[in-house]
Amino acid sequence: MRMMTVGIGAAGLLALAASSAVAEPALPKGAYILPGSAVPKILRQCSRSAPKIGEGSWQPQAAGIRELEAALPGELRKRSSGESSHWQNLLRDWRRQYVGIVRGGRRYIYGSFAQDDSSSIAFDWQREPMQVCDGGVSFFGVEYDVARRRFTHVAFNGPY
């Protein structure tokens, strides 16, 4: 029996790798991940408390954002005495910005949320951290501990 060696070349290897790669899921509509340089500004809020800045930053991925967003409506219902109608369209009716924070060697995702009313807030959602004074429950922030899969901070711009 004679053995044959078949070469597929660099182009063939690239095509094979591309066809077997799993694509990163896209961010949900209305969600934006800001660079680590945005952490100090997004945590400087005038109408709500925010977590401490930490010693570094990291870049969250869409999968982590989706995990946080899946858990968030239940967390908000618990904190707002079971009121659910306000949070049922959280992902459809709200814009949100996310940054990754490293504090005490742990990874956190901080999200800043604004009820989607494009006429009232006009700025670059993909690059400029949102800072809004007042606004009540139409603006809030959350911090999510990635490893423990739990929220460590939730604050609104006004009383609920």
Side-chain angles (χ1 to χ4, degrees), residues 36-44 50-58 99-108 110 143:
S37 60
V39 171
K41 189 171 181 181
I42 203 169
L43 293 180
R44 200 170 40 242
K52 293 180 181 178
I53 195 165
E55 62 270 5
S57 64
W58 65 287
V99 293
I101 302 168
V102 178
R103 188 180 325 103
R106 300 189 71 80
R107 288 181 170 203
Y108 299 89
Y110 180 77
E143 181 182 72

PDB file of all heavy atoms in Angstrom, residues 36-44 50-58 99-108 110 143:
ATOM      1  N   GLY A  36     -11.490  51.204  27.956  1.00  0.00           N
ATOM      2  CA  GLY A  36     -11.082  51.346  29.353  1.00  0.00           C
ATOM      3  C   GLY A  36     -10.823  52.784  29.755  1.00  0.00           C
ATOM      4  O   GLY A  36     -11.002  53.154  30.924  1.00  0.00           O
ATOM      5  N   SER A  37     -10.423  53.611  28.815  1.00  0.00           N
ATOM      6  CA  SER A  37     -10.164  55.026  29.122  1.00  0.00           C
ATOM      7  C   SER A  37     -11.425  55.763  29.567  1.00  0.00           C
ATOM      8  O   SER A  37     -11.354  56.836  30.163  1.00  0.00           O
ATOM      9  CB  SER A  37      -9.547  55.727  27.909  1.00  0.00           C
ATOM     10  OG  SER A  37     -10.435  55.662  26.801  1.00  0.00           O
ATOM     11  N   ALA A  38     -12.601  55.198  29.319  1.00  0.00           N
ATOM     12  CA  ALA A  38     -13.865  55.829  29.701  1.00  0.00           C
ATOM     13  C   ALA A  38     -14.262  55.547  31.151  1.00  0.00           C
ATOM     14  O   ALA A  38     -15.185  56.183  31.668  1.00  0.00           O
ATOM     15  CB  ALA A  38     -14.979  55.360  28.768  1.00  0.00           C
ATOM     16  N   VAL A  39     -13.581  54.616  31.810  1.00  0.00           N
ATOM     17  CA  VAL A  39     -13.970  54.217  33.165  1.00  0.00           C
ATOM     18  C   VAL A  39     -14.039  55.400  34.131  1.00  0.00           C
ATOM     19  O   VAL A  39     -15.063  55.580  34.804  1.00  0.00           O
ATOM     20  CB  VAL A  39     -13.059  53.093  33.712  1.00  0.00           C
ATOM     21  CG1 VAL A  39     -13.316  52.838  35.195  1.00  0.00           C
ATOM     22  CG2 VAL A  39     -13.275  51.809  32.915  1.00  0.00           C
ATOM     23  N   PRO A  40     -13.010  56.240  34.253  1.00  0.00           N
ATOM     24  CA  PRO A  40     -13.108  57.335  35.237  1.00  0.00           C
ATOM     25  C   PRO A  40     -14.311  58.253  35.003  1.00  0.00           C
ATOM     26  O   PRO A  40     -14.981  58.656  35.950  1.00  0.00           O
ATOM     27  CB  PRO A  40     -11.795  58.107  35.060  1.00  0.00           C
ATOM     28  CG  PRO A  40     -10.855  57.128  34.446  1.00  0.00           C
ATOM     29  CD  PRO A  40     -11.710  56.237  33.586  1.00  0.00           C
ATOM     30  N   LYS A  41     -14.609  58.553  33.764  1.00  0.00           N
ATOM     31  CA  LYS A  41     -15.706  59.475  33.472  1.00  0.00           C
ATOM     32  C   LYS A  41     -17.072  58.834  33.685  1.00  0.00           C
ATOM     33  O   LYS A  41     -17.977  59.457  34.232  1.00  0.00           O
ATOM     34  CB  LYS A  41     -15.595  60.014  32.051  1.00  0.00           C
ATOM     35  CG  LYS A  41     -16.576  61.135  31.771  1.00  0.00           C
ATOM     36  CD  LYS A  41     -16.321  61.809  30.440  1.00  0.00           C
ATOM     37  CE  LYS A  41     -17.314  62.949  30.223  1.00  0.00           C
ATOM     38  NZ  LYS A  41     -17.121  63.597  28.937  1.00  0.00           N
ATOM     39  N   ILE A  42     -17.241  57.578  33.283  1.00  0.00           N
ATOM     40  CA  ILE A  42     -18.554  56.935  33.431  1.00  0.00           C
ATOM     41  C   ILE A  42     -18.886  56.689  34.900  1.00  0.00           C
ATOM     42  O   ILE A  42     -20.049  56.619  35.279  1.00  0.00           O
ATOM     43  CB  ILE A  42     -18.650  55.636  32.591  1.00  0.00           C
ATOM     44  CG1 ILE A  42     -20.112  55.293  32.292  1.00  0.00           C
ATOM     45  CG2 ILE A  42     -17.955  54.476  33.291  1.00  0.00           C
ATOM     46  CD1 ILE A  42     -20.296  54.199  31.265  1.00  0.00           C
ATOM     47  N   LEU A  43     -17.860  56.594  35.749  1.00  0.00           N
ATOM     48  CA  LEU A  43     -18.092  56.398  37.181  1.00  0.00           C
ATOM     49  C   LEU A  43     -18.244  57.718  37.934  1.00  0.00           C
ATOM     50  O   LEU A  43     -18.496  57.725  39.136  1.00  0.00           O
ATOM     51  CB  LEU A  43     -16.957  55.577  37.798  1.00  0.00           C
ATOM     52  CG  LEU A  43     -16.859  54.130  37.325  1.00  0.00           C
ATOM     53  CD1 LEU A  43     -15.706  53.419  38.014  1.00  0.00           C
ATOM     54  CD2 LEU A  43     -18.162  53.375  37.548  1.00  0.00           C
ATOM     55  N   ARG A  44     -18.093  58.832  37.268  1.00  0.00           N
ATOM     56  CA  ARG A  44     -18.253  60.147  37.890  1.00  0.00           C
ATOM     57  C   ARG A  44     -19.673  60.646  37.588  1.00  0.00           C
ATOM     58  O   ARG A  44     -19.916  61.377  36.644  1.00  0.00           O
ATOM     59  CB  ARG A  44     -17.194  61.103  37.332  1.00  0.00           C
ATOM     60  CG  ARG A  44     -16.932  62.300  38.197  1.00  0.00           C
ATOM     61  CD  ARG A  44     -15.720  63.124  37.771  1.00  0.00           C
ATOM     62  NE  ARG A  44     -15.571  63.285  36.332  1.00  0.00           N
ATOM     63  CZ  ARG A  44     -14.519  62.830  35.623  1.00  0.00           C
ATOM     64  NH1 ARG A  44     -13.533  62.203  36.224  1.00  0.00           N
ATOM     65  NH2 ARG A  44     -14.450  63.027  34.322  1.00  0.00           N
ATOM     66  N   ALA A  50     -21.810  55.614  42.484  1.00  0.00           N
ATOM     67  CA  ALA A  50     -21.156  54.711  41.530  1.00  0.00           C
ATOM     68  C   ALA A  50     -20.089  53.927  42.288  1.00  0.00           C
ATOM     69  O   ALA A  50     -19.596  54.375  43.316  1.00  0.00           O
ATOM     70  CB  ALA A  50     -20.524  55.502  40.387  1.00  0.00           C
ATOM     71  N   PRO A  51     -19.736  52.758  41.792  1.00  0.00           N
ATOM     72  CA  PRO A  51     -18.689  51.972  42.463  1.00  0.00           C
ATOM     73  C   PRO A  51     -17.324  52.654  42.345  1.00  0.00           C
ATOM     74  O   PRO A  51     -17.149  53.598  41.578  1.00  0.00           O
ATOM     75  CB  PRO A  51     -18.710  50.636  41.722  1.00  0.00           C
ATOM     76  CG  PRO A  51     -19.449  50.866  40.465  1.00  0.00           C
ATOM     77  CD  PRO A  51     -20.283  52.081  40.622  1.00  0.00           C
ATOM     78  N   LYS A  52     -16.377  52.137  43.121  1.00  0.00           N
ATOM     79  CA  LYS A  52     -15.014  52.667  43.069  1.00  0.00           C
ATOM     80  C   LYS A  52     -14.368  52.319  41.735  1.00  0.00           C
ATOM     81  O   LYS A  52     -14.705  51.323  41.102  1.00  0.00           O
ATOM     82  CB  LYS A  52     -14.185  52.095  44.214  1.00  0.00           C
ATOM     83  CG  LYS A  52     -14.661  52.570  45.565  1.00  0.00           C
ATOM     84  CD  LYS A  52     -13.814  51.991  46.672  1.00  0.00           C
ATOM     85  CE  LYS A  52     -14.351  52.468  48.006  1.00  0.00           C
ATOM     86  NZ  LYS A  52     -13.603  51.910  49.113  1.00  0.00           N
ATOM     87  N   ILE A  53     -13.377  53.122  41.355  1.00  0.00           N
ATOM     88  CA  ILE A  53     -12.762  53.004  40.037  1.00  0.00           C
ATOM     89  C   ILE A  53     -11.924  51.723  39.863  1.00  0.00           C
ATOM     90  O   ILE A  53     -11.904  51.142  38.799  1.00  0.00           O
ATOM     91  CB  ILE A  53     -11.943  54.258  39.705  1.00  0.00           C
ATOM     92  CG1 ILE A  53     -11.624  54.302  38.222  1.00  0.00           C
ATOM     93  CG2 ILE A  53     -10.694  54.339  40.533  1.00  0.00           C
ATOM     94  CD1 ILE A  53     -11.137  55.637  37.758  1.00  0.00           C
ATOM     95  N   GLY A  54     -11.218  51.281  40.856  1.00  0.00           N
ATOM     96  CA  GLY A  54     -10.395  50.081  40.732  1.00  0.00           C
ATOM     97  C   GLY A  54      -8.997  50.390  40.251  1.00  0.00           C
ATOM     98  O   GLY A  54      -8.615  51.546  40.075  1.00  0.00           O
ATOM     99  N   GLU A  55      -8.234  49.331  40.006  1.00  0.00           N
ATOM    100  CA  GLU A  55      -6.829  49.515  39.605  1.00  0.00           C
ATOM    101  C   GLU A  55      -6.587  49.286  38.122  1.00  0.00           C
ATOM    102  O   GLU A  55      -5.468  49.408  37.646  1.00  0.00           O
ATOM    103  CB  GLU A  55      -5.896  48.610  40.423  1.00  0.00           C
ATOM    104  CG  GLU A  55      -6.134  47.118  40.246  1.00  0.00           C
ATOM    105  CD  GLU A  55      -7.129  46.523  41.229  1.00  0.00           C
ATOM    106  OE1 GLU A  55      -7.739  47.254  42.020  1.00  0.00           O
ATOM    107  OE2 GLU A  55      -7.291  45.293  41.183  1.00  0.00           O
ATOM    108  N   GLY A  56      -7.624  48.975  37.392  1.00  0.00           N
ATOM    109  CA  GLY A  56      -7.426  48.751  35.965  1.00  0.00           C
ATOM    110  C   GLY A  56      -8.747  48.569  35.249  1.00  0.00           C
ATOM    111  O   GLY A  56      -9.826  48.730  35.819  1.00  0.00           O
ATOM    112  N   SER A  57      -8.627  48.243  33.964  1.00  0.00           N
ATOM    113  CA  SER A  57      -9.814  48.010  33.151  1.00  0.00           C
ATOM    114  C   SER A  57      -9.585  46.803  32.261  1.00  0.00           C
ATOM    115  O   SER A  57      -8.458  46.322  32.133  1.00  0.00           O
ATOM    116  CB  SER A  57     -10.131  49.247  32.303  1.00  0.00           C
ATOM    117  OG  SER A  57      -9.095  49.481  31.377  1.00  0.00           O
ATOM    118  N   TRP A  58     -10.632  46.316  31.661  1.00  0.00           N
ATOM    119  CA  TRP A  58     -10.567  45.219  30.702  1.00  0.00           C
ATOM    120  C   TRP A  58     -11.701  45.429  29.709  1.00  0.00           C
ATOM    121  O   TRP A  58     -12.601  46.233  29.942  1.00  0.00           O
ATOM    122  CB  TRP A  58     -10.654  43.858  31.398  1.00  0.00           C
ATOM    123  CG  TRP A  58     -11.958  43.595  32.093  1.00  0.00           C
ATOM    124  CD1 TRP A  58     -12.408  44.152  33.259  1.00  0.00           C
ATOM    125  CD2 TRP A  58     -12.998  42.723  31.657  1.00  0.00           C
ATOM    126  NE1 TRP A  58     -13.658  43.683  33.565  1.00  0.00           N
ATOM    127  CE2 TRP A  58     -14.039  42.802  32.609  1.00  0.00           C
ATOM    128  CE3 TRP A  58     -13.146  41.882  30.564  1.00  0.00           C
ATOM    129  CZ2 TRP A  58     -15.214  42.060  32.487  1.00  0.00           C
ATOM    130  CZ3 TRP A  58     -14.316  41.146  30.454  1.00  0.00           C
ATOM    131  CH2 TRP A  58     -15.326  41.236  31.414  1.00  0.00           C
ATOM    132  N   VAL A  99     -18.477  49.287  30.551  1.00  0.00           N
ATOM    133  CA  VAL A  99     -17.022  49.291  30.672  1.00  0.00           C
ATOM    134  C   VAL A  99     -16.631  48.130  31.572  1.00  0.00           C
ATOM    135  O   VAL A  99     -17.436  47.651  32.369  1.00  0.00           O
ATOM    136  CB  VAL A  99     -16.473  50.616  31.275  1.00  0.00           C
ATOM    137  CG1 VAL A  99     -16.697  51.783  30.328  1.00  0.00           C
ATOM    138  CG2 VAL A  99     -17.063  50.901  32.643  1.00  0.00           C
ATOM    139  N   GLY A 100     -15.398  47.679  31.430  1.00  0.00           N
ATOM    140  CA  GLY A 100     -14.861  46.632  32.292  1.00  0.00           C
ATOM    141  C   GLY A 100     -13.939  47.249  33.332  1.00  0.00           C
ATOM    142  O   GLY A 100     -13.076  48.057  33.000  1.00  0.00           O
ATOM    143  N   ILE A 101     -14.132  46.876  34.589  1.00  0.00           N
ATOM    144  CA  ILE A 101     -13.332  47.394  35.703  1.00  0.00           C
ATOM    145  C   ILE A 101     -12.644  46.225  36.390  1.00  0.00           C
ATOM    146  O   ILE A 101     -13.256  45.173  36.590  1.00  0.00           O
ATOM    147  CB  ILE A 101     -14.236  48.117  36.728  1.00  0.00           C
ATOM    148  CG1 ILE A 101     -14.997  49.255  36.054  1.00  0.00           C
ATOM    149  CG2 ILE A 101     -13.427  48.626  37.912  1.00  0.00           C
ATOM    150  CD1 ILE A 101     -16.115  49.834  36.917  1.00  0.00           C
ATOM    151  N   VAL A 102     -11.384  46.419  36.765  1.00  0.00           N
ATOM    152  CA  VAL A 102     -10.662  45.438  37.578  1.00  0.00           C
ATOM    153  C   VAL A 102     -10.446  46.075  38.943  1.00  0.00           C
ATOM    154  O   VAL A 102      -9.871  47.159  39.054  1.00  0.00           O
ATOM    155  CB  VAL A 102      -9.309  45.053  36.949  1.00  0.00           C
ATOM    156  CG1 VAL A 102      -8.562  44.076  37.857  1.00  0.00           C
ATOM    157  CG2 VAL A 102      -9.497  44.459  35.564  1.00  0.00           C
ATOM    158  N   ARG A 103     -10.945  45.407  39.982  1.00  0.00           N
ATOM    159  CA  ARG A 103     -10.801  45.901  41.343  1.00  0.00           C
ATOM    160  C   ARG A 103     -10.492  44.710  42.252  1.00  0.00           C
ATOM    161  O   ARG A 103     -11.228  43.731  42.238  1.00  0.00           O
ATOM    162  CB  ARG A 103     -12.077  46.607  41.800  1.00  0.00           C
ATOM    163  CG  ARG A 103     -11.947  47.310  43.128  1.00  0.00           C
ATOM    164  CD  ARG A 103     -13.197  48.035  43.619  1.00  0.00           C
ATOM    165  NE  ARG A 103     -14.011  48.658  42.590  1.00  0.00           N
ATOM    166  CZ  ARG A 103     -15.159  48.141  42.129  1.00  0.00           C
ATOM    167  NH1 ARG A 103     -15.617  46.990  42.567  1.00  0.00           N
ATOM    168  NH2 ARG A 103     -15.846  48.785  41.201  1.00  0.00           N
ATOM    169  N   GLY A 104      -9.404  44.802  42.975  1.00  0.00           N
ATOM    170  CA  GLY A 104      -9.034  43.698  43.859  1.00  0.00           C
ATOM    171  C   GLY A 104      -8.798  42.401  43.101  1.00  0.00           C
ATOM    172  O   GLY A 104      -9.053  41.324  43.619  1.00  0.00           O
ATOM    173  N   GLY A 105      -8.332  42.509  41.869  1.00  0.00           N
ATOM    174  CA  GLY A 105      -8.070  41.337  41.042  1.00  0.00           C
ATOM    175  C   GLY A 105      -9.316  40.704  40.443  1.00  0.00           C
ATOM    176  O   GLY A 105      -9.228  39.697  39.751  1.00  0.00           O
ATOM    177  N   ARG A 106     -10.488  41.277  40.682  1.00  0.00           N
ATOM    178  CA  ARG A 106     -11.750  40.737  40.158  1.00  0.00           C
ATOM    179  C   ARG A 106     -12.216  41.573  38.981  1.00  0.00           C
ATOM    180  O   ARG A 106     -11.993  42.775  38.939  1.00  0.00           O
ATOM    181  CB  ARG A 106     -12.831  40.735  41.236  1.00  0.00           C
ATOM    182  CG  ARG A 106     -12.476  39.893  42.447  1.00  0.00           C
ATOM    183  CD  ARG A 106     -13.659  39.750  43.380  1.00  0.00           C
ATOM    184  NE  ARG A 106     -14.674  38.895  42.799  1.00  0.00           N
ATOM    185  CZ  ARG A 106     -14.641  37.568  42.794  1.00  0.00           C
ATOM    186  NH1 ARG A 106     -13.628  36.939  43.327  1.00  0.00           N
ATOM    187  NH2 ARG A 106     -15.620  36.863  42.269  1.00  0.00           N
ATOM    188  N   ARG A 107     -12.921  40.936  38.062  1.00  0.00           N
ATOM    189  CA  ARG A 107     -13.469  41.621  36.893  1.00  0.00           C
ATOM    190  C   ARG A 107     -14.944  41.962  37.118  1.00  0.00           C
ATOM    191  O   ARG A 107     -15.725  41.105  37.518  1.00  0.00           O
ATOM    192  CB  ARG A 107     -13.357  40.748  35.646  1.00  0.00           C
ATOM    193  CG  ARG A 107     -11.952  40.633  35.154  1.00  0.00           C
ATOM    194  CD  ARG A 107     -11.910  39.786  33.910  1.00  0.00           C
ATOM    195  NE  ARG A 107     -10.587  39.884  33.320  1.00  0.00           N
ATOM    196  CZ  ARG A 107     -10.317  39.651  32.071  1.00  0.00           C
ATOM    197  NH1 ARG A 107     -11.283  39.276  31.242  1.00  0.00           N
ATOM    198  NH2 ARG A 107      -9.105  39.769  31.619  1.00  0.00           N
ATOM    199  N   TYR A 108     -15.263  43.209  36.830  1.00  0.00           N
ATOM    200  CA  TYR A 108     -16.625  43.707  36.936  1.00  0.00           C
ATOM    201  C   TYR A 108     -17.009  44.357  35.612  1.00  0.00           C
ATOM    202  O   TYR A 108     -16.159  44.895  34.912  1.00  0.00           O
ATOM    203  CB  TYR A 108     -16.751  44.764  38.037  1.00  0.00           C
ATOM    204  CG  TYR A 108     -16.409  44.246  39.412  1.00  0.00           C
ATOM    205  CD1 TYR A 108     -15.105  44.293  39.883  1.00  0.00           C
ATOM    206  CD2 TYR A 108     -17.395  43.714  40.240  1.00  0.00           C
ATOM    207  CE1 TYR A 108     -14.777  43.821  41.152  1.00  0.00           C
ATOM    208  CE2 TYR A 108     -17.077  43.234  41.503  1.00  0.00           C
ATOM    209  CZ  TYR A 108     -15.771  43.292  41.950  1.00  0.00           C
ATOM    210  OH  TYR A 108     -15.463  42.819  43.197  1.00  0.00           O
ATOM    211  N   TYR A 110     -19.483  47.407  34.449  1.00  0.00           N
ATOM    212  CA  TYR A 110     -20.349  48.497  34.895  1.00  0.00           C
ATOM    213  C   TYR A 110     -21.180  48.940  33.703  1.00  0.00           C
ATOM    214  O   TYR A 110     -20.652  49.151  32.613  1.00  0.00           O
ATOM    215  CB  TYR A 110     -19.552  49.679  35.438  1.00  0.00           C
ATOM    216  CG  TYR A 110     -20.439  50.816  35.898  1.00  0.00           C
ATOM    217  CD1 TYR A 110     -21.109  50.732  37.121  1.00  0.00           C
ATOM    218  CD2 TYR A 110     -20.644  51.934  35.113  1.00  0.00           C
ATOM    219  CE1 TYR A 110     -21.955  51.745  37.541  1.00  0.00           C
ATOM    220  CE2 TYR A 110     -21.487  52.960  35.532  1.00  0.00           C
ATOM    221  CZ  TYR A 110     -22.133  52.859  36.744  1.00  0.00           C
ATOM    222  OH  TYR A 110     -22.981  53.867  37.159  1.00  0.00           O
ATOM    223  N   GLU A 143     -23.365  47.460  38.579  1.00  0.00           N
ATOM    224  CA  GLU A 143     -22.072  46.789  38.492  1.00  0.00           C
ATOM    225  C   GLU A 143     -22.320  45.296  38.679  1.00  0.00           C
ATOM    226  O   GLU A 143     -23.077  44.891  39.563  1.00  0.00           O
ATOM    227  CB  GLU A 143     -21.114  47.303  39.561  1.00  0.00           C
ATOM    228  CG  GLU A 143     -19.752  46.630  39.464  1.00  0.00           C
ATOM    229  CD  GLU A 143     -18.800  47.101  40.548  1.00  0.00           C
ATOM    230  OE1 GLU A 143     -19.014  46.721  41.721  1.00  0.00           O
ATOM    231  OE2 GLU A 143     -17.874  47.858  40.222  1.00  0.00           O
TER     232      GLU A 143
END
